[in-house]
Amino acid sequence: MESKVVFSQMELTRASMGMPVRFNTTLTGGPTGHPGVSALLLRPRDQQALGLCLLAEHPGNEGASVTNGAREYAEAVCRALEKPLLQFAWFELDSEGSFDELYLMGDGANFFPLNEPGAPPRSLEGLFKRAERMFGDLPDEFRVAATACKMRFDWLEP
């Protein structure tokens, strides 16, 4: 049975707040090996319903953080997909390894702790529960990618 949602991933980088967001890939499409921001996307196959995008910071990102550049990273994703910002529910994995909801109304970005019933606040489990509430069954590739992004922070020494 075919899944109702499609998973895709983009790698992004932004050297500083004054610089544009760029795709963090080589000419052959592979990763550059330089940490930046991953955009993990779930989109319904019908393309009309709301999608979900997690903007995930990488530890060691020397460019603009996902928190400081959230709107610009989101706009880059939307330009690549030719979709409006409001076509997605936005989330971030911040530089401390916590998950937040991201609101992109107006010119700025607002952040609120991700709270989902039955899950610890600002957790990967909460993100999965929210995505399941939106889409039902999630593709394994999304679970693996989101878990890998979170694990990058768990490996850091305090």
Side-chain angles (χ1 to χ4, degrees):
M1 180 178 182
E2 190 173 59
S3 175
K4 294 188 293 186
V5 294
V6 176
F7 168 70
S8 58
Q9 182 170 341
M10 294 180 193
E11 298 300 328
L12 307 167
T13 188
R14 187 174 187 202
S16 67
M17 290 301 290
M19 301 297 291
V21 175
R22 299 185 185 278
F23 289 96
N24 197 11
T25 56
T26 64
L27 291 175
T28 60
T32 64
H34 301 289
V37 171
S38 294
L40 308 182
L41 296 124
L42 289 175
R43 294 178 290 154
R45 288 198 182 276
D46 70 15
Q47 297 292 315
Q48 299 304 314
L50 187 67
L52 178 149
C53 182
L54 170 65
L55 296 172
E57 180 91 24
H58 288 248
N61 175 14
E62 295 178 5
S65 72
V66 69
T67 301
N68 290 334
R71 183 170 195 88
E72 292 77 13
Y73 285 119
E75 288 172 346
V77 168
C78 288
R79 275 193 306 276
L81 298 174
E82 298 180 353
K83 298 286 183 190
L85 283 172
L86 296 178
Q87 189 72 38
F88 294 94
W90 295 94
F91 299 88
E92 75 157 351
L93 173 59
D94 67 20
S95 59
E96 296 178 359
S98 298
F99 293 85
D100 293 317
E101 294 185 65
L102 175 58
Y103 293 91
L104 300 170
M105 304 297 278
D107 292 335
N110 293 305
F111 304 88
F112 297 94
L114 176 59
N115 287 304
E116 190 66 19
R122 303 184 78 193
S123 68
L124 178 63
E125 183 183 347
L127 177 73
F128 287 158
K129 284 186 178 289
R130 178 71 56 87
E132 288 166 351
R133 202 159 44 94
M134 291 175 69
F135 302 112
D137 290 334
L138 301 177
D140 289 339
E141 299 89 350
F142 174 76
R143 289 183 183 279
V144 168
T147 300
C149 287
K150 173 64 174 138
M151 287 176 69
R152 291 181 188 122
F153 292 96
D154 296 341
W155 293 332
L156 296 177
E157 293 182 28

